[in-house]
Amino acid sequence: MELPTKTPLVENAVVMSKIDLANLIQKALARERGVFLKIFSKDAENKYYITLLLDSSKVLAAEGIVVDTKEKYGGDKTLELFRALLGKPMIVDVYSLDEIELKLAIAENLEAYSETPKVPLGELFGGAGRTPKAEIVEKPQPPKKIVPERELTVPKAEKPPELAPQKVETTTEPEISIKLESGEIPDEAFKKYAEAIQRDSEKIRGIRIRKIEFDGTVGEGVVYLNVTVYGSSESKNRRDIEISERRIFHIVSKNAPIILRVSEYKPILKDIRVILNGEEAKPREIIEKEKKKTDYVDRAKKIQLSVLEDVWPYFSNFARTVIQEIEGAGMEVERAYFDIKGRNEFEINLSIVVKGEYDKDTAERAIRTVLARHARELSKAIERYISIHTVTVEVIRPKGAVPSKPPAKPTSAKASEILAKKELLEKEVEKLLQEAGIDELAFLTEEKKKEAEQTLLKSRVEPAIDALKARIHAELKLVPRVTFKWLKLNHEVQGSTVYVDIEASFAKEEVGGLFGAYSGVSDEKIKEDVANTINRVIKEVSSEYSISIRLRKLNIILR
């Protein structure tokens, strides 16, 4: 394999064991992202020249040459040869490569890269898995243990020997258990994550972490993790233990991005468990958040609300404000029930009974408009996604009352007289044509009717489409969790029906979560809410302009 001009980190190093070779690789990886090795070794039959390209977790490319015969080995055969030569004396040149140099090296050796199986480093060293890493960590430890011994020999007092065991206990690392499905992630990522959890947990008085379990599933660029932390607390006070648990919850979520930095896999924490002194007790705050409260929010006891306790103050104020505005518009509210479902996202279901002289559709449209506006404001305030699912309206009318209709446009006496004469003349012409039996002229009256109908329809269609486009544009700007970009709307009149084709583009906003890797709202949920908004506006405009408007094609683009 070829390598761009580069000065070796270590040149002509004599390696007698796989542990020495692993130490050289770790030394290079501590400096940069990749390693390139030139290895010369031999067995009883031949001499070999091997080149390996590695990153922090696996083999990227390998190539071998028999020195005497110049025979070339591909990636798979080279790795078998390398394993066979492990433990034999080797002469090694080590090159450390940064990210750009590593990519250039892959580009220069694409053939070797494509032929080489991407074997993890643990498997490369004789299938020992984590053995080389474990021994590398243990090797520098003996010099550190000399410090307490020196303290024991110099002062002869009784106190220094007592300090030594305490120092050793604080540096004890917790046991780490890793169980992954559907893929592999370098153990180094979990080791550094566990070290950070241990380091921050030591700042909590009286807490000792004994074991950390990682149980997860590897996806495409993400890993879904369940983290369990076992430890002990010197305090027996239940309140102190709950506070410690809450702090460990925060420590686990705060340090999760370490996995992303080391392994390039985004961690999504599905569950965190903290077990202290053999007991798992969730903090009281978390238990209380799961409770749903149902009660009246006004003194008259006509507005009822059902929602989770931790957001009760927000939604109780929301319910009162919505009802006040509805009553301010002239509707008398008899009773209302707000059922708010969800935890990270909320779904509003309203059942309301109003009293007045208007039809049900008009009342529902007015109530939904008020509800949507206040839901958007609340969504921005609490930074949660809120959608309106159902609005059930019951209208109670006074006896003898008729649903109100839009008043007819007033006309002058002269205009009424002319229109009446026009109708009489048209009828008389039709009658004369029928009596005369002249079929050749029948098309004139039919064509005149069609022209009149089309002219009337066109005069209503254009204002309706302009209003529809303006309203959809305004409503889509208010859809939460996305930024509205552009809108295309085309229409076609077929008979008495107007068919519309709509295309809308949005940019999805990124949201951070409590545990450092919040997945956000799903694309399907956002598209469903956008579609519901567009259908609602079409229905409103269709009713206002007395035109049948139907959605023929809808394309929602999320970027």
Side-chain angles (χ1 to χ4, degrees), residues 363-500:
E364 183 179 337
R365 189 163 57 249
I367 290 168
R368 192 180 277 274
T369 302
V370 173
L371 198 62
R373 185 171 67 256
H374 287 286
R376 285 191 293 269
E377 292 172 2
L378 181 61
S379 177
K380 292 175 184 176
I382 65 175
E383 296 183 350
R384 305 277 185 89
Y385 186 80
I386 301 175
S387 61
I388 299 168
H389 186 236
T390 58
V391 177
T392 306
V393 180
E394 183 184 341
V395 179
I396 301 175
R397 299 189 189 92
K399 291 182 179 179
V402 179
S404 60
K405 293 182 180 178
K409 291 184 179 179
T411 57
S412 65
K414 188 69 176 174
S416 300
E417 186 182 344
I418 292 169
L419 290 171
K421 285 182 179 179
K422 178 178 177 288
E423 288 178 8
L424 287 171
L425 286 170
E426 285 178 353
K427 286 179 182 178
E428 193 170 342
V429 169
E430 286 179 14
K431 187 178 178 182
L432 289 169
L433 288 170
Q434 286 175 2
E435 286 175 357
I438 305 172
D439 296 331
E440 292 85 353
L441 298 176
F443 74 93
L444 292 173
T445 54
E446 293 297 325
E447 197 171 305
K448 193 69 178 175
K449 283 182 181 179
K450 286 180 181 178
E451 278 183 20
E453 287 174 1
Q454 286 177 0
T455 304
L456 183 63
L457 184 63
K458 191 175 180 181
S459 67
R460 296 206 312 264
V461 166
E462 289 179 0
I465 293 300
D466 291 341
L468 178 65
K469 192 170 184 178
R471 286 197 200 177
I472 290 177
H473 199 278
E475 289 286 341
L476 295 186
K477 281 185 177 179
L478 302 173
V479 175
R481 298 285 188 251
V482 288
T483 303
F484 175 62
K485 292 295 184 183
W486 50 261
L487 171 72
K488 289 181 183 177
L489 190 148
N490 298 318
H491 73 280
E492 183 185 355
V493 180
Q494 293 182 5
S496 61
T497 304
V498 181
Y499 293 93
V500 292

Side-chain angles (χ1 to χ4, degrees), residues 344-346 383-386 480-482 508-511 518-527 529 558:
N344 294 322
E345 303 171 13
F346 296 106
E383 296 183 350
R384 305 277 185 89
Y385 186 80
I386 301 175
R481 298 285 188 251
V482 288
K508 196 172 179 184
E509 297 174 2
E510 297 206 357
V511 182
Y518 177 58
S519 59
V521 183
S522 68
D523 290 359
E524 292 303 319
K525 179 67 175 171
I526 293 172
K527 287 182 179 181
D529 289 339
L558 281 178

Side-chain angles (χ1 to χ4, degrees), residues 38 71 80 152 366 378 393 429-430 448 495 536 552:
K38 293 180 179 178
E71 181 186 355
E80 290 180 12
L152 288 171
L378 181 61
V393 180
V429 169
E430 286 179 14
K448 193 69 178 175
R536 174 174 55 79
R552 182 170 58 185

Side-chain angles (χ1 to χ4, degrees), residues 292-343:
K292 198 168 183 181
K293 181 179 178 182
T294 303
D295 202 355
Y296 291 98
V297 298
D298 63 330
R299 292 181 181 177
K301 293 191 174 180
K302 65 180 181 181
I303 308 169
Q304 195 175 20
L305 173 66
S306 178
V307 71
L308 293 174
E309 281 191 355
D310 61 323
V311 290
W312 172 270
Y314 299 105
F315 279 96
S316 60
N317 189 43
F318 164 81
R320 283 193 295 267
T321 306
V322 168
I323 297 303
Q324 283 173 8
E325 188 165 332
I326 291 171
E327 290 182 330
M331 298 184 194
E332 186 181 342
V333 177
E334 292 289 315
R335 60 182 179 274
Y337 174 60
F338 292 83
D339 183 17
I340 315 298
K341 296 180 180 178
R343 152 109 235 127

